Amino acid sequence: MAENLPSPVEQELLGLRSLLWGAEIKQDIFRRWSQGFYFSTKEKSALEQSDGGPCAIIAPVQAFIIKSLLLEYRDLSFREKVDAELQSKILVDALCEILGQCNSDNFCIVHMQSHTVEPEVKVQGDDNENLPEAQNDLDPLRFHEELGVLTFSSLEDVKKYYFEHKATLKRRFGLLLFLYSVILSRGLQHVKSECGDSLEPLIDETYGYGSQSLINLMITGRATTYVWDHFQDVAGLKLKGIEKQSEVGFITIMEYHRYCTVGSFYKNPINPVWVVGSDTHLTVLFSDERRLVSPETKSEQARRVFKSFDPDGNNFISTDKLQEVLQALDLVSEVEYVNIMKKKLDSESLGIILLNAFMEEFFPKEESSTPDMFTMVHYNGLAQSNVNGQVQYHIGAAILLESDIKSVCESNHMLTVLQTKWPNIEVNWYDATTPSLN
């Protein structure tokens, strides 16, 4: 059963507002985030984003929707089977799964206590509740004055509540109400702590995009700032990244530009679905090829571990790192043996060990769990970024080339970001049109 929370919890809404928006909420940014969850009329399982900014919420929700559909249908046949009833189910299931990852004893669902500031807008169409509403300006102060909080002790109760109020999810503010619910369910202090008590708001005050902490919270239930695995020591500080393999993954063009290092937990998620970051926007990449996320072979693990000691992607490590690499792979790592291997693998005493030499010595018969060819599908929620201005999936045929030498084409942002996960990938997109990351 739901009950009104005591006022101290509702007081958290004030702290939440500051955490998200900073000292002042800009009207234009607030307007852009004030949309509901609604689906494309062209692609029935694809959420639409009406304006720039809230992709930090929409893309992760879309990723969880796709994950569930792929698990149920095993291929892309779900595209023809989604109707209004299934839309409500997959949306509510995705929202509840994201909330469930917050590991909360109680789920705090933020709602509007009055509908006086949420006008009903008549729109033309067969399914009025599934279309975006007119964006009348609303003072953010008034919006926050209307908020209330309900608490539920189980996800089943949350799911029942959302089904009973599914129209609210699809109307204006549905996205913000869900975002506030995620933060309060995780716990305001938890989120602040995981952000490292940063003074920067989760929604950028100038451009209105979501921070990496907000993206991580939506994907993993933890608002950590970094995307590497576990902890990394940076100038004596232990900085926390992703704590375990995620249900859906994350890759970003920012790794190519060396602004961050994406760890294995994000690059190798449980399901073949990845949220994709450009420098301004988030989209989703997925495949119905489950072998893309099958367990690593020994040689794949060895390559991953070796490269974790090669953060610059040079395909070599310093010779003095060899013992640590061998230890990480549970190989023989006694000093005497390591010294012998150093002389063999660095015979010219250059102080480096090449990846290929290491693999030939310890894993001469390389095995791969990943197929050479597979279908790749891309989603972008912004209508203007899609062919013909309609949100729909864009399909390509991917191939992993045998060569370790990747083709660098900085003007092709899609290929650039894919190569942070698959260095030797090429994709032939249908209609010869490369989908937009922005």
Side-chain angles (χ1 to χ4, degrees), residues 376 387 393-397 412 414 427-436:
M376 186 72 73
V387 177
Y393 301 140
H394 204 102
I395 299 177
N412 187 337
M414 173 62 77
V427 184
N428 292 315
W429 296 99
Y430 294 175
D431 302 326
T433 303
T434 301
S436 173

Side-chain angles (χ1 to χ4, degrees), residues 307-336:
K307 289 182 176 182
S308 71
F309 289 87
D310 170 31
D312 293 331
N314 295 318
N315 284 334
F316 64 78
I317 59 171
S318 62
T319 305
D320 58 11
K321 295 287 186 184
L322 179 60
Q323 185 174 31
E324 291 179 70
V325 173
L326 294 175
Q327 287 174 337
L329 290 169
D330 291 326
L331 297 174
V332 177
S333 57
E334 280 76 10
V335 174
E336 296 82 1

Side-chain angles (χ1 to χ4, degrees), residues 267-302:
K267 284 187 180 172
N268 302 290
I270 295 171
N271 299 279
V273 182
W274 293 264
V275 175
V276 182
S278 74
D279 49 358
T280 61
H281 188 44
L282 293 176
T283 57
V284 178
L285 189 79
F286 63 98
S287 177
D288 58 356
E289 176 53 82
R290 296 244 10 127
R291 286 181 295 169
L292 291 179
V293 291
S294 58
E296 289 180 310
T297 63
K298 290 291 186 182
S299 51
E300 286 172 336
Q301 180 195 23

Side-chain angles (χ1 to χ4, degrees), residues 71-89:
L71 284 174
E72 181 172 352
Y73 291 94
R74 301 292 175 181
D75 56 28
L76 302 181
S77 63
F78 67 78
R79 299 178 70 192
E80 311 303 324
K81 297 175 181 177
V82 175
D83 55 18
E85 182 178 356
L86 185 53
Q87 283 177 337
S88 295
K89 180 182 184 303

Side-chain angles (χ1 to χ4, degrees), residues 58-299:
I58 293 174
V61 172
Q62 181 67 51
F64 278 94
I65 286 173
I66 291 169
K67 182 215 82 165
S68 297
L69 288 170
L70 286 175
L71 284 174
E72 181 172 352
Y73 291 94
R74 301 292 175 181
D75 56 28
L76 302 181
S77 63
F78 67 78
R79 299 178 70 192
E80 311 303 324
K81 297 175 181 177
V82 175
D83 55 18
E85 182 178 356
L86 185 53
Q87 283 177 337
S88 295
K89 180 182 184 303
I90 58 179
L91 175 60
V92 169
D93 284 350
L95 301 187
C96 287
E97 184 168 4
I98 290 170
L99 280 167
Q101 291 190 140
C102 293
N103 278 9
S104 175
D105 293 330
N106 288 303
F107 299 97
C108 301
I109 304 304
V110 180
H111 66 107
M112 299 188 75
Q113 300 181 94
S114 166
H115 291 285
T116 58
V117 295
E118 191 180 4
E120 292 292 339
V121 179
K122 295 297 181 183
V123 292
Q124 297 298 315
D126 297 329
D127 183 4
N128 285 354
E129 71 170 12
N130 198 33
L131 291 173
E133 294 197 52
Q135 293 289 305
N136 296 329
D137 282 343
L138 173 67
D139 183 350
L141 290 176
R142 282 188 63 202
F143 167 77
H144 286 89
E145 288 170 357
E146 294 289 338
L147 298 181
V149 186
L150 301 172
T151 181
F152 297 89
S153 57
S154 75
L155 270 181
E156 285 305 312
D157 289 338
V158 174
K159 188 173 291 189
K160 181 181 177 183
Y161 172 85
Y162 273 154
F163 270 117
E164 291 173 352
H165 297 82
K166 61 186 179 182
T168 303
L169 289 173
K170 297 173 183 179
R171 284 202 295 258
R172 189 181 181 195
F173 307 123
L175 185 148
L176 282 177
L177 295 175
F178 174 66
L179 170 57
Y180 285 26
S181 301
V182 170
I183 293 175
L184 289 191
S185 294
R186 179 63 187 147
L188 188 61
Q189 294 308 314
H190 262 131
V191 173
K192 285 183 176 179
S193 174
E194 288 164 348
C195 292
D197 294 315
S198 169
L199 298 178
E200 296 295 320
L202 295 182
I203 296 174
D204 184 83
E205 294 175 282
T206 303
Y207 301 106
Y209 54 74
S211 69
Q212 188 65 53
S213 292
L214 185 54
I215 297 166
N216 289 347
L217 175 64
M218 294 297 297
I219 297 177
T220 70
R222 304 290 181 274
T224 51
T225 306
Y226 304 101
V227 292
W228 50 59
D229 295 347
H230 300 305
F231 290 88
Q232 277 201 19
D233 191 310
V234 179
L237 295 174
K238 288 193 74 175
L239 302 179
K240 187 176 182 180
I242 308 304
E243 67 179 21
K244 62 181 181 179
Q245 187 183 29
S246 50
E247 287 288 331
V248 301
F250 177 78
I251 55 177
T252 174
I253 202 166
M254 293 303 175
E255 182 170 34
Y256 169 80
H257 294 306
R258 300 190 177 181
Y259 288 119
C260 67
T261 300
V262 181
S264 179
F265 290 150
Y266 257 167
K267 284 187 180 172
N268 302 290
I270 295 171
N271 299 279
V273 182
W274 293 264
V275 175
V276 182
S278 74
D279 49 358
T280 61
H281 188 44
L282 293 176
T283 57
V284 178
L285 189 79
F286 63 98
S287 177
D288 58 356
E289 176 53 82
R290 296 244 10 127
R291 286 181 295 169
L292 291 179
V293 291
S294 58
E296 289 180 310
T297 63
K298 290 291 186 182
S299 51

Side-chain angles (χ1 to χ4, degrees), residues 2-30:
E3 58 184 25
N4 285 319
L5 282 175
S7 56
V9 178
E10 295 192 347
Q11 283 292 315
E12 286 202 315
L13 287 169
L14 294 175
L16 185 156
R17 179 182 149 188
S18 174
L19 173 71
L20 269 177
W21 304 99
E24 178 186 358
I25 306 177
K26 290 188 177 178
Q27 184 75 40
D28 178 61
I29 293 175
F30 180 76

Side-chain angles (χ1 to χ4, degrees), residues 419-433:
Q419 287 178 342
T420 66
K421 161 66 178 166
W422 298 282
N424 52 345
I425 194 172
E426 292 283 354
V427 184
N428 292 315
W429 296 99
Y430 294 175
D431 302 326
T433 303

